[in-house]
Amino acid sequence: MAVSLLSRLAASTTVPVFAVTGGGGCPLVSSLRTDPRARLVASPRHAAVLVIAGTLPPRLVGPVQSIHDQMPHPRFTALAGTQEDPTNWGKAVVADSSDPIQSVVDGFRALVAGRHASEPDWLPDSPPAEWRGVGPFGQGGEGMMGGKPFGRPMAEMAPDRDGLMLDALNVGVGPFHPALPPGLELRLELHGDVVADVGLQPNPYLELGKPAEKSYALFEQAQREAVPIARVETLRAAHLLGTIASAVEVAGLESLGRRLRTRAADPSGGDQRGLSRLRRALIAGVRWSARGVVRLPAEELQGSGLGPTARASGVEEDARLDDAGYLRLGFAPITRSSGDCLDRLLQMLDEAEQALELASKAGTGSTSGNVVEGVHGVPGSGSSPALLSLIEEHVPGLEWSDAVSFIASLGVDLQDIALAERRVVE
Amino acid sequence: MNSLVGAFSVLAIASVLALSGRWLGISTDSCRVTNPQSAPFLGGSTPDTHAWSRFHIRYYAVALLFVAFEMEMMFMYPWAVVFVEEGIKALVEMGMFLAILSLGILYAWKEGAFRWQ
């Protein structure tokens, strides 16, 4: 009786979900963030359901298996919007394409009620190497420095920023770390909380055979033919608001993130005062952590085609200045001066507001059909590969919290970068 | 004799309860930590090196601030008592003292000790 009551109470809660994003999975993960039936958690330890959204490139399968095995029991996996063969994923449930979140909720209730068995591990339950039991602490070597406990070598000494010789910790973070964009995997050398060196792993979404994300299709179309400015600018506003939402969620401001995503789902639905309230909440929420962090100089970004990132540093470059349709509307690019993390986020908010204004003024007006400014700069594209080189260049020397704020403020989307790189190859 | 029997009885009952509780825990254990679960969560990656490493926690910035502000207060209380009697001399001495301490505060500021994180 009591157990049944407890099961019913447990089943009535919001579903703790850890989501991994494959090709084409971004919209579902975004809706998981706003749907009251589910709660996206930051670590598999707090999750009961692993949602695999979209099709995973082969290189991401191993990390997903590792994340799955880190979830506590009872647990289950849901595949949504994927071309994966479900039999490769044990007893994973294929979510209903019409309402995948309801499938997740139903699966969670069945799991808690005991109608669905908890999934076993997908990887062997053994350490990378055996414990050797040699040395004063059983670490496998002499003193504190030798040996490879459980197959992992002890940290090597390296000079830190104070001139002391201390241990450098080498770790990989990602590709599904909640503080980083999906798919981004960093190899870090850490001195305490300071990033001494960073290396980026290859973009895993390049392994997907065909374009997975169609959200920028309108920008692609605008390269070839005239399209209504109102549609382009509404889409731009939605994407920019979504990018800001991702950045504030990394800062722990989930409520503000939900408000931004709700507005992004219907950018033209609210009024100007709604955007002003979002601006005040954004400034109040991130000014302490984002102001003054990684000021990108304007001269470094001249001609980079990095859109709002460059304009936040004062670079007046925008492909819309070459479009007669936009010039008729009196378009002039907005710029900022300091180019720090706070400025980059405010720049995106300013440009979302400007995009909505242009959309309302444009009426039936169209673009000229040659080129159109993408959401993050590169014409006809989302994110640019050049954003990744900014990470490699500016993250060394930062504390981890600043590094995370910086990467979030760039609006990196590896799926869009894969699309852009594939287009260059073609 | 009776008290000895009582003590042994208590010991026996306690032992039976403890052992049966332990047995119950082992036999119904569904929360055994597996190897993947014992690894740190890094978003799907694994650490290249063992986590047993020494790094500089930088207590010195906090210690510097503590000494600077604590010494100010330690000196200011007695100084305030004699300030009226000593006049401008006391003011100059306090000015020199604060100037020296301020150097430490400025250094800590430069090191980022006041950053809100």
Side-chain angles (χ1 to χ4, degrees):
Chain A
M1 177 70 180
V3 174
S4 163
L5 179 66
L6 283 175
S7 297
R8 278 207 300 276
L9 280 173
S12 65
T13 186
T14 51
V15 184
V17 172
F18 189 87
V20 295
T21 313
C26 292
L28 173 62
V29 177
S30 183
S31 57
L32 276 167
R33 289 196 179 276
T34 50
D35 198 296
R37 295 170 291 177
R39 175 168 48 92
L40 271 191
V41 293
S43 125
R45 305 220 195 286
H46 304 101
V49 183
L50 174 67
V51 171
I52 300 175
T55 304
L56 287 176
R59 203 160 63 75
L60 296 185
V61 171
V64 170
Q65 288 174 328
S66 152
I67 288 170
H68 171 272
D69 289 358
Q70 290 190 315
M71 287 166 57
H73 292 280
R75 64 193 178 196
F76 88 100
T77 307
L79 301 170
T82 175
Q83 297 162 5
E84 307 277 347
D85 180 359
T87 55
N88 293 339
W89 296 96
K91 294 178 180 171
V93 174
V94 178
D96 180 10
S97 58
S98 60
D99 189 357
I101 297 177
Q102 189 56 45
S103 297
V104 169
V105 173
D106 293 342
F108 174 70
R109 289 191 180 140
L111 184 75
V112 172
R115 296 194 303 277
H116 190 305
S118 182
E119 288 176 358
D121 280 1
W122 288 342
L123 296 173
D125 180 13
S126 58
E130 283 307 309
W131 183 257
R132 293 168 60 190
V134 179
F137 302 97
Q139 81 275 20
E142 295 299 319
M144 269 189 74
M145 298 310 300
K148 289 186 179 179
F150 291 128
R152 296 197 177 98
M154 303 297 287
E156 292 287 330
M157 289 178 85
D160 85 340
R161 57 178 164 162
D162 292 331
L164 301 169
M165 289 296 283
L166 291 170
D167 295 343
L169 190 64
N170 293 298
V171 289
V173 179
F176 295 116
H177 194 279
L180 299 176
L184 184 63
E185 186 177 350
L186 306 178
R187 306 305 299 182
L188 299 170
E189 182 185 324
L190 294 172
H191 292 172
D193 57 350
V194 175
V195 180
D197 197 12
V198 65
L200 271 64
Q201 295 295 97
N203 185 345
Y205 299 108
L206 281 170
E207 292 179 354
L208 291 175
K210 57 180 182 179
E213 198 79 58
K214 292 286 185 190
S215 58
Y216 292 97
L218 187 65
F219 289 95
E220 302 257 336
Q221 194 185 340
Q223 300 250 58
R224 301 185 301 271
E225 58 192 78
V227 294
I229 289 178
R231 279 183 61 205
V232 171
E233 292 305 314
T234 307
L235 184 61
R236 183 191 310 282
H239 272 288
L240 288 170
L241 290 170
T243 305
I244 305 168
S246 301
V248 299
E249 281 155 2
V250 166
L253 303 170
E254 287 170 11
S255 168
L256 178 57
R258 265 194 298 278
R259 285 167 61 192
L260 283 157
R261 285 186 193 279
T262 307
R263 184 67 194 255
D266 183 15
S268 316
D271 57 2
Q272 173 59 35
R273 277 183 301 175
L275 283 175
S276 302
R277 281 195 293 272
L278 287 174
R279 178 187 306 279
R280 281 198 297 276
L282 177 66
I283 293 172
V286 300
R287 66 180 160 184
W288 293 107
S289 58
R291 180 170 285 159
V293 175
V294 191
R295 294 177 194 275
L296 293 174
E299 52 272 24
E300 186 183 334
L301 300 172
Q302 289 283 357
S304 63
L306 285 178
T309 300
R311 290 191 284 275
S313 295
V315 178
E316 257 190 71
E317 286 176 3
D318 195 311
R320 287 174 287 184
L321 283 171
D322 302 328
D323 191 305
Y326 280 97
L327 293 178
R328 270 196 296 277
L329 297 174
F331 169 76
I334 299 171
T335 55
R336 291 184 158 260
S337 55
S338 81
D340 59 9
C341 286
L342 181 61
D343 260 10
R344 282 188 283 280
L345 295 179
L346 290 175
Q347 177 74 28
M348 283 190 258
L349 193 58
D350 287 345
E351 294 198 7
E353 204 171 318
Q354 184 190 39
L356 291 175
E357 207 177 300
L358 287 169
S360 68
K361 272 163 61 177
T364 56
S366 296
T367 62
S368 60
N370 306 321
V371 69
V372 74
E373 177 83 358
V375 177
H376 293 289
V378 175
S381 164
S383 288
S384 158
L387 289 172
L388 299 180
S389 52
L390 287 180
I391 294 175
E392 281 183 314
E393 199 175 326
H394 291 278
V395 164
L398 295 180
E399 289 182 6
W400 174 241
S401 58
D402 287 347
V404 163
S405 300
F406 171 57
I407 294 170
S409 75
L410 294 177
V412 171
D413 185 333
L414 289 186
Q415 296 197 32
D416 292 324
I417 290 177
L419 275 180
E421 289 187 4
R422 202 177 286 118
R423 198 181 304 113
V424 169
V425 170
E426 284 163 5
Chain B
M1 185 62 184
N2 280 348
S3 58
L4 201 59
V5 170
F8 273 113
S9 304
V10 169
L11 185 66
I13 292 168
S15 302
V16 167
L17 282 176
L19 290 173
S20 56
R22 182 80 184 121
W23 172 80
L24 195 68
I26 291 169
S27 59
T28 59
D29 183 14
S30 60
C31 301
R32 192 181 70 80
V33 176
T34 61
N35 263 289
Q37 285 172 344
S38 66
F41 169 61
L42 295 168
S45 290
T46 50
D48 298 336
T49 50
H50 198 268
W52 188 11
S53 66
R54 298 158 298 171
F55 63 91
H56 198 342
I57 203 160
R58 291 185 171 75
Y59 278 133
Y60 64 82
V62 178
L64 193 64
L65 285 182
F66 174 77
V67 169
F69 287 112
E70 183 72 3
M71 285 298 113
E72 263 179 33
M73 287 300 106
M74 291 271 285
F75 190 37
M76 271 187 178
Y77 280 115
W79 173 82
V81 175
V82 298
F83 174 65
V84 176
E85 288 172 25
E86 298 293 330
I88 192 74
K89 185 182 160 201
L91 189 66
V92 170
E93 281 182 354
M94 179 51 78
M96 288 164 60
F97 180 68
L98 290 183
I100 293 166
L101 286 183
S102 304
L103 292 177
I105 294 170
L106 288 173
Y107 175 73
W109 194 349
K110 177 177 159 286
E111 286 291 298
F114 293 112
R115 283 192 63 190
W116 179 266
Q117 285 188 335

